Structure formats: C-alpha cells, structure tokens
Amino acid sequence: MRLVKCRKCGTTVMTDDTLLESMIGTMNELNAKAVKAKTGVDKHIYQQQSNQMKKMINQVMHRTSAIEL
C-alpha cells in the first residue's frame, strides 16, 4: 500500500501498488519508445498512448479518493 495525493481534489489516499506500478511502468515504456522512434508519426502515436495512460492513472487515483471519502 502507498499514500498518494490526488492531483484533482487534493486528498491523500491509500492505493494498491501493483496497479499503479504497472500503469506507470507501461507509461515509461511508451515514453522510451517515443524517444527511440525513427519517424515523427510513430513518436506522436507513442506520446498519445502515454498521455492516455497518464489520464487513466489520474482517474484511478481520483476514483479511489472519491470512494474512500
């Protein structure tokens, strides 16, 4: 378990490490692929996927904080 502060509402909540760690790991892999991409199109696709992962992480944190309140 880990304490995480929600960026949207500011509350601090306990979260499951495995879910967030796997999502953050996936986001980091996508960022690494974007850096190594040879064409601009591939780089843009990887960046979009990374941004979607970041949004999902924020939603999970916010929903978790909303449930615990």
Side-chain angles (χ1 to χ4, degrees):
M1 298 304 272
R2 171 188 199 181
L3 284 174
V4 177
K5 185 174 182 179
C6 179
R7 292 181 184 161
K8 190 171 183 181
C9 63
T11 57
T12 304
V13 295
M14 297 284 282
T15 60
D16 183 21
D17 275 340
T18 56
L19 175 65
L20 284 180
E21 288 299 322
S22 66
M23 293 175 88
I24 290 171
T26 303
M27 187 177 71
N28 289 337
E29 288 175 16
L30 290 168
N31 285 331
K33 287 180 181 180
V35 169
K36 293 178 183 178
K38 303 219 184 243
T39 63
V41 174
D42 289 340
K43 180 178 264 192
H44 184 68
I45 290 170
Y46 287 132
Q47 287 174 341
Q48 282 182 335
Q49 290 175 346
S50 176
N51 288 338
Q52 289 297 322
M53 237 359 180
K54 185 176 179 180
K55 288 179 186 179
M56 285 173 50
I57 291 169
N58 287 337
Q59 288 174 357
V60 166
M61 287 193 316
H62 184 69
R63 297 294 180 224
T64 303
S65 65
I67 289 170
E68 291 187 6
L69 290 177

